[in-house]
Structure formats: structure tokens, C-alpha cells
Amino acid sequence: ALFMITLGIIISTLTVTSANHWLTAWLGLELNMISILPVITKQKHPRSTEAATKYFLTQAMASALMLFSSTLNAWQTGSWDITQLNNKLSCILMISALTMKMGAAPAHFWLPEVLQGSTLTTTLLITTWQKIAPITLLYMISNHIQSNILLPIGLLSILVGGWGGINQTQLRKMMAYSSIAHLGWTMAVISIAPNIALTNIIIYMTVSTPFFLLLTSSSSKTLQTMTTTWAHAPTATIIMMLLLLSMAGLPPLTGFTPKLLILDKLVMHKLTPAATTMAILSLLSLTFYLRTTYLLASTTSPTTTQSTTLWRLKPNYYQITTILTPIALFNITILPALLT
């Protein structure tokens, strides 16, 4: 069963990314949703059932909107081609549908709730792999989108991602708001420089994957239980701390690269007020990243931990973490190549 579900998730995403016809893309997204539902409901708990129901309803609504948008476009222009989304209303409806699919603001309400009801591994899957299909579709229609539609969505996502994350003590909800903020940076620039937007989301996935795997291996689910990580695995604690700072976008870590490129492109397109607003709003996200970093680092020996150490399992994730961590932290070296 696990093999079939994994195969379904992979094939459905590949179907969407290689599609030229709107119906093929829609079919891929539907298959993707059906494949992920058993993964969310794996835990026999009311919270996971609630999470799966919320996920299903929002994704089904977004799929219906997407189908309506593509049908309207085909009716008006006679083309089902993804890259030929020429109808203005269809374009706006498609952006709304894909925004809901990804969980960007203002259609973000389902994401923190669904992640809170899932396991850490499922959370990783939803925040990384499940974003590939809608981002690809957005990338394919980016030449038809006006920046005055996507820029406000991006700014709102960064604001919501920062503001919502500040008040969280649950790590899964905090990472959901972090995901919303990163999507905001991608959405803001995708109509101006789609390749840089794609670079941003790939780097976010590269940074968040080892972080989630380390959280899973240390069984940390709240900020309080993170304080015991040092006693269990000092190396993992240091890596998690650096990954958080990379997510915050502090130089010289990898997370700084896409932010600099995005701000550079916005200024080049005479959107300096938007770039300034984005830079200021990202300070909200920086607040909770630094708070988490402080909690991880401040309880080092001989400081007493603030909660009892959990019984920790040792999942075999170290190979993936070892490969991704150097890329997630020291990829700044490729910056000159990206700027040219």
C-alpha cells in the first residue's frame, strides 16, 4: 500500500509538470490529492481525520475553480494549451485556484491546521513536494500574469507568514507560516523573473527538508521540547540552528541568495517601494526564527533544560540530511553566477 501511495504521489506530480493540456494538469492534481489523503489519515486520531477533511475540501474547491478557469479560457480562445491562458478573467481565476492549492495568502487558512494534524514527515511532504505541481503551473502561465495581481498576493503572504508565526509555540504551525512567507517571495517575483522565483522555492525546499528530518529524528514538536535537543544531539542542534538562520535569509547562508536576487529584480523593474516593504515585512519572520534559534542554543550545558527529555527514536534519515545540509547552508558561492 505504501508503495502504491508513493508511486501515486510521484506520478501525479510528474503528470502535472509535463502536461501541456489543462485537463491533463487537472487530472494530475486530482490524483495527487487522492494519493496524499491516506498519508494524512495514517494516524488513527480525530486531529488527522480533521486535517484530511480540511485538505480535501480546500483542494477540491481549488480544483473546481481551476477546471472552470481553463474551460472558460478554452471557450473564449479555443485553446486548452496551458501556456495560452489569454483570457483575463481565466487568468485571475487560475491564480486564485493555484494560490489556494499552494496555501498562499489570502487562501492560507487551511495550511497551519492541516500541518498541525499531521505527522512531521507528512508536514515535510505537504510543505515541499506538494508545492511543486501548482508552482510549475504558475511558472508556465507567468508570461500572461500582470505583476499588479501577484505582487499584492506576495506582500500579503509575507505579512501573514511573519505575523502568524510570531505567536506560535507549535513547530508544525510555525513552519506552516514560514512556508506561507516563502511562497509570498516566490509569488511576488514570478511574473517579473520566473526563473528566480523557481530558484527561491527550490532553495526553500532544500533548506526545510533537512530541518524537518532533524525535527523528526529528535521528536521535537513544540518550542519547549526543542530545548532538550542539545543534551541529546549537540551536532544536530547546531545544524538546526544554522538551517533556521538560513531560512531567515541571513548572509552568508543559502537562504540569503534568493532574497537578494528577488529584491534586485524588483528594484530593476522600478518596484522599489514593494521591495522595501518585503524587506521590512521579512523582519517579522526573522523574529520567530531568531527566537527558535535562541531556544536551541541558549539551553546548552551546563544550563538545565526546561522540560523532560522525550523518548527519542532514531529514524534513518541521516543520509538525506548529510547530502542536503551543506547545500542548504553554503550555497552562497553560486551567487555571482546567478547575478550575471
Side-chain angles (χ1 to χ4, degrees):
L2 183 66
F3 173 73
M4 290 304 291
I5 289 165
T6 312
L7 198 68
I9 292 168
I10 293 167
I11 287 173
S12 60
T13 306
L14 292 176
T15 306
V16 178
T17 51
S18 58
N20 285 319
H21 196 284
W22 274 118
L23 285 181
T24 319
W26 174 78
L27 198 69
L29 285 167
E30 287 297 295
L31 181 62
N32 186 270
M33 180 183 69
I34 293 161
S35 303
I36 197 91
L37 286 174
V39 181
I40 301 171
T41 51
K42 195 175 144 200
Q43 283 180 299
K44 300 291 180 281
H45 193 275
R47 284 303 295 269
S48 55
T49 313
E50 184 191 333
T53 310
K54 283 176 180 173
Y55 186 83
F56 171 76
L57 289 172
T58 46
Q59 297 296 316
M61 204 184 298
S63 291
L65 198 58
M66 184 183 157
L67 199 58
F68 174 63
S69 164
S70 52
T71 310
L72 186 68
N73 185 65
W75 183 40
Q76 293 289 323
T77 63
S79 171
W80 281 98
D81 199 311
I82 291 175
T83 52
Q84 302 297 317
L85 197 71
N86 297 320
N87 188 306
K88 210 167 202 175
L89 179 61
S90 289
C91 201
I92 293 165
L93 287 171
M94 189 58 72
I95 292 165
S96 308
L98 294 174
T99 301
M100 201 184 290
K101 280 256 175 222
M102 284 185 286
H108 66 280
F109 297 101
W110 63 272
L111 190 63
E113 296 298 319
V114 169
L115 296 197
Q116 188 54 35
S118 314
T119 61
L120 280 164
T121 321
T122 313
T123 306
L124 167 65
L125 193 66
I126 295 169
T127 51
T128 54
W129 185 264
Q130 293 301 97
K131 300 269 186 283
I132 295 171
I135 287 279
T136 308
L137 290 175
L138 204 60
Y139 179 83
M140 287 167 85
I141 63 166
S142 59
N143 59 330
H144 292 292
I145 307 169
Q146 292 169 322
S147 60
N148 61 0
I149 298 169
L150 277 184
L151 206 54
I153 292 175
L155 287 167
L156 187 63
S157 293
I158 297 167
L159 175 66
V160 166
W163 216 322
I166 282 178
N167 204 26
Q168 299 301 330
T169 55
Q170 294 285 338
L171 285 172
R172 282 167 292 185
K173 276 196 175 180
M174 194 183 85
M175 291 312 292
Y177 283 108
S178 161
S179 168
I180 293 163
H182 278 90
L183 277 174
W185 282 86
T186 305
M187 298 283 273
V189 83
I190 202 160
S191 60
I192 299 162
N195 290 344
I196 289 175
L198 222 54
T199 307
N200 179 52
I201 207 75
I202 289 165
I203 287 176
Y204 166 68
M205 288 173 186
T206 313
V207 176
S208 63
T209 303
F211 181 72
F212 270 115
L213 294 176
L214 286 168
L215 282 183
T216 310
S217 64
S218 65
S219 311
S220 300
K221 286 176 184 157
T222 62
L223 286 177
Q224 194 186 17
T225 53
M226 267 188 119
T227 58
T228 63
T229 314
W230 180 269
H232 163 67
T235 317
T237 310
I238 293 164
I239 292 169
M240 278 161 84
M241 192 177 80
L242 288 168
L243 287 168
L244 277 167
L245 293 175
S246 183
M247 260 188 244
L250 295 181
L253 303 167
T254 308
F256 173 68
T257 313
K259 284 187 169 62
L260 181 65
L261 291 170
I262 289 167
L263 294 176
D264 177 55
K265 273 283 177 254
L266 289 170
V267 172
M268 275 172 67
H269 283 79
K270 294 184 172 58
L271 291 165
T272 313
T276 311
T277 312
M278 284 167 73
I280 292 165
L281 289 177
S282 67
L283 294 175
L284 288 167
S285 298
L286 182 64
T287 310
F288 64 80
Y289 287 128
L290 285 179
R291 183 186 58 189
T292 315
T293 307
Y294 172 75
L295 280 172
L296 272 169
S298 68
T299 51
T300 54
S301 181
T303 316
T304 51
T305 54
Q306 292 168 15
S307 65
T308 53
T309 309
L310 300 170
W311 174 258
R312 298 180 194 281
L313 301 167
K314 301 268 193 309
N316 197 12
Y317 295 133
Y318 295 112
Q319 295 91 337
I320 311 168
T321 314
T322 312
I323 295 161
L324 289 177
T325 304
I327 304 166
L329 295 179
F330 309 114
N331 210 9
I332 194 80
T333 47
I334 65 161
L335 184 59
L338 290 169
L339 281 169
T340 51

